[in-house]
Amino acid sequence: MKHGKKYLESLKKYDASKAYELTAACETVKAVKFANFDETVEAHVRLKLGKNQTVRDTLVFPNQFKGEKKVLVFCKEDRIKEALDAGAAFAGADEYVEKVKGGWLDFDIAVATPDMMKDVGRLGMILGRKGLMPNPKTGTVTNDIVSAINELKKGRVEYRADKQGNVHIAVGKTSMEPAKVAENVQTLISEIVRKKPADAKSGYIQGVSVSSTMGPGVTVDFKEGE
């Protein structure tokens, strides 16, 4: 891939062949940024997974960096008030199923009670493409809609390994204190370790790096078991 002049200049500001202690790596990401906007800081974790192994879950970062999300709850009429009182931006049944069918997607996260999934399932082609489909594995298909909304509004996010065994996820902003970004990265790593498949072999975490949206990657000095 051909990189621009600013990117190449940023590479001269640090040792790209070196692995940095986590906080120092986040400090380096901030020091070498060159874009004139508040870039997102991303963590990249490379995992060693077997053919049929996967890692997927949700977490709440200790240091939030995103605006409040609009939550849509698919639920029956008798639970609409409960959902709205808990902080949902929208709640309802057939009317919202029809709105989404018509192309309406003015929300950030969708939650559904189990008794709504027969209808919500018909929206798979629309919601699935946008990553908005409620899923019991991520806690977005649940009867405990109050707890789900509270966690989502606190910033609960999903992480998952792709087919190559890599987890890519936003962990902060370049305007944040590097120590707070590092704390978020550590939380992510701890959660990934917690979800390690029982039959995973040694060397489960192959590597960790951090980067800003436009900037180069910085390798983190990570050793499994730390």
Side-chain angles (χ1 to χ4, degrees):
M1 180 185 295
K2 188 174 181 180
H3 293 291
K5 183 177 179 181
K6 290 182 179 180
Y7 182 98
L8 296 175
E9 284 297 318
S10 70
L11 284 173
K12 298 176 183 179
K13 296 180 180 180
Y14 76 111
D15 185 352
S17 66
K18 175 183 173 181
Y20 291 75
E21 180 273 329
L22 178 55
T23 301
C26 294
E27 290 171 346
T28 302
V29 167
K30 186 169 185 173
V32 303
K33 78 176 292 287
F34 58 84
N36 58 3
F37 62 92
D38 188 12
E39 296 177 78
T40 296
V41 179
E42 301 166 353
H44 312 278
V45 184
R46 190 171 74 256
L47 304 178
K48 183 180 181 181
L49 296 173
K51 186 176 180 180
N52 297 314
Q53 292 176 339
T54 188
V55 172
R56 176 181 184 179
D57 207 341
T58 61
L59 62 85
V60 177
F61 286 121
N63 304 294
Q64 295 307 307
F65 54 93
K66 296 182 178 180
E68 189 170 292
K69 295 179 179 179
K70 289 189 282 187
V71 180
L72 163 63
V73 178
F74 291 104
C75 62
K76 301 293 186 181
E77 186 175 352
D78 61 342
R79 304 201 66 182
I80 291 176
K81 184 178 186 301
E82 178 187 0
L84 295 175
D85 287 348
F90 314 100
D94 295 344
E95 61 177 302
Y96 284 103
V97 170
E98 292 304 314
K99 285 186 73 170
V100 171
K101 280 183 181 177
W104 177 80
L105 292 168
D106 188 24
F107 56 94
D108 302 301
I109 304 172
V111 173
T113 53
D115 59 358
M116 283 297 301
M117 284 308 294
K118 181 179 179 181
D119 297 314
V120 176
R122 299 189 184 114
L123 304 175
M125 289 294 290
I126 300 170
L127 296 179
R129 283 198 299 266
K130 297 290 184 179
L132 294 171
M133 190 67 187
N135 189 317
K137 292 182 178 179
T138 60
T140 48
V141 177
T142 176
N143 274 315
D144 189 358
I145 55 178
V146 173
S147 294
I149 293 168
N150 286 339
E151 284 200 10
L152 290 167
K153 289 178 76 67
K154 285 179 184 175
R156 188 178 77 187
V157 295
E158 178 186 1
Y159 68 89
R160 65 187 301 175
D162 61 21
K163 292 181 180 178
Q164 286 72 47
N166 299 308
V167 175
H168 305 286
I169 188 172
V171 292
K173 291 285 188 177
T174 51
S175 58
M176 290 172 62
E177 295 177 19
K180 290 187 175 181
V181 178
E183 188 178 6
N184 284 353
V185 177
Q186 186 58 62
T187 297
L188 171 66
I189 293 172
S190 296
E191 285 296 306
I192 290 175
V193 169
R194 186 178 66 82
K195 294 296 292 184
K196 179 179 179 179
D199 55 347
K201 298 180 180 179
S202 60
Y204 168 58
I205 295 184
Q206 297 275 287
V208 180
S209 65
V210 287
S211 66
S212 63
T213 305
M214 304 293 289
V218 180
T219 301
V220 175
D221 185 11
F222 173 84
K223 294 180 180 63
E224 193 169 336
E226 291 185 347

